[in-house]
Amino acid sequence: MADTLPDDGLDAHGLSVVKAIADTGSITAAARALGYSQPAVSQQLRRLERRAGMPIVERVGRGVRLTEAGWVLARHAATVTTALDAAAGDLAELRGLRAGRVRIAAFPSASSTVVPRVIAAVTVRRPGVSISFVEAEPPEAIAAVREDRADIALIYSYPGDRREQLDSAASGLSVRHLGDDDTVVVVPVDHPAASDDPIDLSRLAGERWIAGCPQCRGHLLEACGRAGFTPDIAFETDNYIAVENLVALGVGMAILPRMAVASLPMLVGIAAPPLPAAEARTLHVVTARGAERVPAVAAALEAVGQVLAEQPHPQAPRERAPRD
């Protein structure tokens, strides 16, 4: 283990120490995570406190916790790390290297449509780049970027979602609009509203409904509210195959994003008439500020844009098991 750390004040080493304490909850665990000795980490903290002119940590029982100043520094750590990665990437480009990493977090319907094609495209263009992926709903994906566990977060928002909530969750990060994803209503193919284009939700006021994740459930409630009724939510599942089978068997209906429907061949027995364009969800990409300067991340962002531009519509119906 190293016994000394650079005495450069508020540098990347210092910020990494503060972030490690925030992540692990103790100086000892932070030292272990960083590969430094505990005295070296404690010495760096004292230097940071002298430069900052205020305490970075405070004693709580037999442990420590970050002060308000410490949390301020911890929040900046991901941005600094991204900037250093960008600098390293630029140098790698100058040396003609093809290396780097990109970590992606994305919502479930993107994990079977957008993400595989992005990974394939980046792998072809930059075979030396290491790519990882984790499936996460928007709040968790944004948190992963903020905490430097992901470089790119693919997220969505619905018309009724408050913009200030997204701005607050992604404060200090870069949020870019990628496009829109239409929403559809999955209904039995023999339902009178199955051929509507767009569908009039008020015609479904007496039906039972299937709700998904909290954000999708909120959109279901708001869309039905705009149509003049409160939906009777009888089932809750995030499993799109389960949703299609429930609808095909006539026990409920659901609002789904077009991307979710496109991720599977549609079952025989169901239809997916579109909602009005105003009910489309908006797709965003969230990164740390300056992340696009990291070559691997830039390549992934470019691939995301191209894949979304080529996103296919739902496939033709497929056979399903007969009813018992």
Side-chain angles (χ1 to χ4, degrees), residues 136 139 169 207 237 246 256 273 284 291:
E207 305 290 350
T237 178
L246 286 168
L256 289 179
H284 315 268

Side-chain angles (χ1 to χ4, degrees), residues 74-267:
R75 286 196 298 271
H76 285 282
T79 301
V80 171
T81 301
T82 297
L84 290 174
D85 286 345
D90 288 345
L91 290 176
E93 290 291 287
L94 288 174
R95 290 195 299 267
L97 299 179
R98 292 294 181 268
R101 70 171 186 183
V102 58
R103 301 161 296 170
I104 302 172
F107 51 91
S109 56
S111 69
S112 57
T113 53
V114 175
V115 174
R117 296 171 65 196
V118 169
I119 292 175
V122 174
T123 300
V124 168
R125 297 172 191 171
R126 292 179 176 267
V129 171
S130 172
I131 308 176
S132 63
F133 164 66
V134 62
E135 188 175 281
E137 292 291 352
E140 292 75 26
I142 293 173
V145 172
R146 182 177 301 285
E147 296 166 10
D148 196 27
R149 293 182 284 108
D151 303 298
I152 294 173
L154 298 180
I155 67 167
Y156 60 83
S157 61
Y158 282 108
D161 295 342
R162 295 181 178 177
R163 177 69 195 192
E164 59 267 23
Q165 292 178 334
L166 175 59
D167 291 341
S168 175
S171 176
L173 302 175
S174 172
V175 182
R176 279 162 282 184
H177 175 224
L178 289 174
D180 297 325
D181 184 23
D182 293 338
T183 48
V184 302
V185 183
V186 186
V187 300
V189 72
D190 56 359
H191 192 281
S195 59
D196 286 3
D197 187 5
I199 192 168
D200 180 0
L201 270 182
S202 65
R203 299 182 65 184
L204 308 179
E207 305 290 350
R208 293 195 298 176
W209 291 85
I210 307 160
C213 71
Q215 205 167 344
C216 298
R217 179 191 178 98
H219 178 243
L220 170 63
L221 291 169
E222 292 188 357
C224 292
R226 285 188 283 272
F229 70 95
T230 299
D232 174 15
I233 297 177
F235 311 99
E236 296 187 27
T237 178
D238 291 331
N239 186 318
Y240 302 134
I241 298 176
V243 170
E244 286 196 7
N245 276 282
L246 286 168
V247 174
L249 293 170
V251 297
M253 300 184 181
I255 292 178
L256 289 179
R258 178 74 70 183
M259 190 179 292
V261 178
S263 67
L264 297 165
M266 288 177 62
L267 286 173

